[in-house]
Amino acid sequence: MLIQTEERYQQAARSYQEKGYWQPWPLGQQLRRWAKTHGERIALVDGEDRLSYLDLDRRVDAMAVGLHRLGLRCGDRVLLQLPNSTAFVVTAFALFRLGVVPVMMMMANRERDIDAFCALARPTAYITTAAFLGYDHRALAEKAQERHNCLRYVLVDGAWTDDHGVTCQIEIPNATYADDGQPSATATAVLLLSGGTTGTSKLIPRTHADYAYNARESAKLCGFSADTVYLAALPVAHNFPLACPGIIGTFSVGGKVVLTRSPAFEEAFPLIERERVTHTALVPPLVNLWLNACEWERADLSSLVLLQVGGSALDPKLAARVGPTLGCLLQQVFGMAEGLLCYTRPDDSEATVLHTQGRPLSDDDEIRIVDADGKDVAHGEAGELQVRGPYTIRGYYCAEAQNKSSFTKDGFYRSGDWVRLTAEGNFVVEGRIKDIVNRAGEKIAAPEIEAMLKAHPDIQDAALVPLPDEHLGERSCVFVMAKGATLDLPAIRAFMLANGAARHKIPDQLELIDFWPLTGAGKIDKRKLVAMAAG
Ligand code: OOB
């Protein structure tokens, strides 16, 4: 059975190569090719920093040589925790060039996530910045190093401090990386974080070839060209601004990437005006903030051509305000770090763009919509979306047991999303069957939080559910069966922070409960809990 699956995969891989989806160059090499073609054109703008394609390629070389001298080697994993910055882009591409695989951490990740990533990926280095938004990231990394002996190096703001306290810059100016020891294009390029549906973290291995295809094909679909100015407003460690088409897609066509530390309109609007931004990507709660800000902010946003919105459900009423307020096209994006991307097309009808989540990027995306028994539903009926294709993973990183439940025997990813197809073949996301809270596009795995809270001495049992929220789309509400003592939200917050939880995973609301409503199968009935919280 396993051999058959492997053979089928090899067959599919060959066809992706023959069709030109998977090119033979790893991402570090791709950047060299783009630098050759686009030379002096501006690739990256970060504040007053402006790098041409050639500048960027040189910086990436200088960083790759430095990291190599330090001892990082093809196949090693590292934790990468940097804000939207030139340093992120240079470091990520230097790692790609070396074949060192970054775990694309969010700035919000704290001890608990770090411990999970270290246990899974055994990273040799932690690359971070001294401080961000008032938080001491250097200390976070140094303490992680004390707990995990796999972490040989902590790199802070491009420098490394040795055992004698001597600090040296990593980049070796004017050095050229010889491109020996290069990764194969089908090797893993990055480990993306999974939204997660279980108690344990999962990492998503994307290969150089599939990720480059993901970005290039998205750029084509979105009409990106050398004239594109892409604002990376969402956190760039996320798949959406990184490769859908995002930074990598913009580079693939010779466009210009503009970085902003925060997606807040106060920072983004002046940049859009100054750099004449044409494309950007947001999650729905930010769209709401931007559109409201347009009512009083007098910024010139007339350069905008297309606003991509995805990550969580977009209210059609909000969607309808985008065109009239921003004067640009809207695109709905229904994607997942595991692979599959669905886009509405720039030439779709207004009804399609406002009311559907588009259709798959690739002709070779294989889609199934199935019922609870795994049988295909009739056309137009809702069911779980399963997918297999040229840029969708066939398994999580080192997670054999998980993979048995997250993938079908024939290699389809069970998305956990509940969808239906319209007559025109566009998806409508109706809901989901996975146990998460989608809080402003950030996915929170309910079992992870529940397990953490059950370790609290005053908590007998806990269940996390999503509640509709005007600002966040969904907020997290925890139902707790307490062991007598009075328990409140500040106590839960303090407990979770002390346990190294990321801030956004702390529940927004607490409900105390004396007995659980149960389903017929005897499980906690989360639908009932949602109804109870709604009053
Ligand atoms: C994006 O990726 P992830 O991995 O953070 O989350 C994926 C999940 C999907 O399975 C779905 O449950 C939800 O996020 N989702 C949406 C959605 N887009 C994503 N739910 C409703 N409507 C949408 N438009 O979120 C992501 C990755 C690449 C591009 C865009 C988003």
Side-chain angles (χ1 to χ4, degrees), residues 192-196 204 214 234 238-241 243-244 281-284 308-314 332-343 356-357 385 413 415-418 428-432 434 436 438 441-443:
L192 299 174
L193 306 193
S194 144
I204 297 168
N214 182 115
L234 294 172
H238 195 285
N239 184 37
F240 193 6
C244 310
L282 294 177
V283 290
Q308 303 181 277
V309 183
S312 61
L314 176 64
Q332 291 215 40
V333 186
F334 164 43
M336 49 206 73
E338 284 81 357
L340 179 69
L341 298 171
C342 301
Y343 294 104
T356 84
Q357 283 66 58
L385 169 67
Y413 168 58
S415 73
D417 291 311
W418 201 251
V428 175
V429 182
E430 301 246 301
R432 58 174 183 259
K434 54 188 168 188
I436 64 167
N438 189 340
E442 298 275 9
K443 317 305 183 300

Side-chain angles (χ1 to χ4, degrees), residues 314-501:
L314 176 64
D315 179 351
K317 286 201 286 297
L318 182 60
R321 286 170 58 205
V322 169
T325 312
L326 291 176
C328 69
L329 289 175
L330 167 71
Q331 176 184 60
Q332 291 215 40
V333 186
F334 164 43
M336 49 206 73
E338 284 81 357
L340 179 69
L341 298 171
C342 301
Y343 294 104
T344 58
R345 303 322 199 235
D347 57 358
D348 274 344
S349 70
E350 192 183 8
T352 298
V353 173
L354 296 186
H355 297 285
T356 84
Q357 283 66 58
R359 47 197 185 278
L361 170 65
S362 173
D363 289 342
D364 284 70
D365 283 320
E366 300 168 71
I367 299 296
R368 273 184 200 153
I369 303 179
V370 301
D371 64 18
D373 300 324
K375 297 217 174 66
D376 290 341
V377 300
H379 191 93
E381 298 282 304
E384 186 193 10
L385 169 67
Q386 299 185 344
V387 56
R388 186 169 75 173
Y391 57 98
T392 296
I393 57 163
R394 310 264 163 155
Y396 290 106
Y397 180 77
C398 296
E400 218 176 305
Q402 252 311 307
N403 289 340
K404 288 211 174 84
S405 54
S406 298
F407 296 83
T408 65
K409 285 213 176 88
D410 52 356
F412 279 75
Y413 168 58
R414 300 181 208 266
S415 73
D417 291 311
W418 201 251
V419 306
R420 68 177 166 83
L421 276 177
T422 64
E424 294 80 32
N426 289 296
F427 281 117
V428 175
V429 182
E430 301 246 301
R432 58 174 183 259
I433 51 172
K434 54 188 168 188
D435 197 7
I436 64 167
V437 177
N438 189 340
R439 186 180 188 274
E442 298 275 9
K443 317 305 183 300
I444 303 167
E448 180 193 336
I449 308 308
E450 291 158 3
M452 199 186 303
L453 289 177
K454 280 182 217 170
H456 189 290
D458 298 328
I459 293 180
Q460 171 104 34
D461 206 356
L464 193 79
V465 294
L467 297 182
D469 186 274
E470 194 192 338
H471 303 292
L472 299 165
E474 290 176 13
R475 67 177 181 276
S476 58
C477 172
V478 69
F479 278 80
V480 165
M481 196 180 273
K483 287 182 189 162
T486 49
L487 201 69
D488 56 11
L489 210 47
I492 285 183
R493 176 174 298 125
F495 174 76
M496 287 183 67
L497 286 178
N499 276 280

